[in-house]
Amino acid sequence: TPHTAFQNIVTCLEAGVPVVCGTTGWLDRYAEVEKLCNERKGTFFYASNYSVGVNVFFAVNRRLAELMERFPEYDVTVEETHHTQKKDAPSGTAITLAEGILGNLTRKKKWICGTTTEPDALEIASVRRSVVPGIHTVTYESEADVLSITHCAKNRCGFATGAVIAAEFVAGKKGIFSMKDLLGLE
């Protein structure tokens, strides 16, 4: 859970155990984990989402934001839909999408969960439905048209497979890694 992840990671790194983590909601302490991992010459792999498809989606999202920088008439929003048991809102995946937009679209300065009238704020809508593994949509809208990109998880298999691939990837390695390293993105 977000409340126990940090201490669990620290305990593993202090014991010399490599860590693959996908828990979100604790990232305000990420720099501490990074420092400890480097001090201990440990292994830490973090991703907000382990789906290969989602991570390619992140790369497409960043590139689309770069392209849309030239077109201020388009406003952008993010929507994420998950199962009702999801503990955080917005999801870590939605936050990663928002950060990809904010890093490449200078007219947006921050993200907000919910609606806003602030032109420099990126809206993230969080929807909860009974049995939805995860749907994420980024939408650019102008008076003339709408451009949307969406990733829809059919089940949880992709998340589990990605985590196993990540664990195999870090075997025998030291350092801090992410899905960008594993997939050779950027």
Side-chain angles (χ1 to χ4, degrees), residues 23 27 70 72 77 85-86 91 102-103 110-111 132 164 169:
T23 304
L27 294 178
R70 293 181 42 222
T77 58
Q85 292 76 37
K86 180 87 173 129
S91 68
L102 296 176
K110 63 184 177 181
W111 60 263
V132 179
V164 171
F169 175 79

Side-chain angles (χ1 to χ4, degrees), residues 79-83 91 125-129 132-137:
E79 181 177 296
E80 56 98 355
T81 304
H82 282 90
H83 51 89
S91 68
S126 295
V127 178
R128 298 296 175 257
R129 295 207 173 111
V132 179
I135 302 168
H136 294 85
T137 301

Side-chain angles (χ1 to χ4, degrees), residues 37-186:
C37 184
N38 288 329
E39 287 172 355
R40 296 286 181 138
K41 295 183 178 31
T43 305
F44 180 62
F45 190 110
Y46 178 76
S48 63
N49 190 309
Y50 280 88
S51 162
V52 170
V54 163
N55 282 278
V56 171
F57 185 60
F58 288 156
V60 170
N61 173 61
R62 289 188 300 273
R63 179 64 180 129
L64 181 57
E66 287 174 10
L67 293 169
M68 297 307 285
E69 175 68 6
R70 293 181 42 222
F71 305 102
E73 63 272 21
Y74 285 85
D75 194 21
V76 59
T77 58
V78 175
E79 181 177 296
E80 56 98 355
T81 304
H82 282 90
H83 51 89
T84 55
Q85 292 76 37
K86 180 87 173 129
K87 295 183 190 289
D88 55 343
S91 68
T93 301
I95 292 170
T96 301
L97 288 167
E99 289 170 350
I101 294 165
L102 296 176
N104 293 288
L105 198 66
T106 59
R107 64 183 173 270
K108 296 295 181 181
K109 307 294 183 208
K110 63 184 177 181
W111 60 263
I112 292 179
C113 187
T115 58
T116 181
T117 56
E118 298 176 50
D120 67 343
L122 170 62
E123 290 182 6
I124 302 177
S126 295
V127 178
R128 298 296 175 257
R129 295 207 173 111
S130 64
V131 233
V132 179
I135 302 168
H136 294 85
T137 301
V138 175
T139 302
Y140 288 85
E141 185 169 356
S142 73
E143 287 188 22
D145 58 5
V146 176
L147 171 64
S148 293
I149 57 172
T150 297
H151 177 273
C152 180
K154 293 171 134 184
N155 55 50
R156 296 179 184 271
C157 292
F159 309 125
T161 300
V164 171
I165 292 169
E168 292 171 346
F169 175 79
V170 297
K173 291 182 173 86
K174 300 291 181 196
I176 299 168
F177 304 95
S178 71
M179 290 299 279
K180 287 180 186 178
D181 301 305
L182 188 148
L183 299 174
L185 299 171
E186 289 183 45

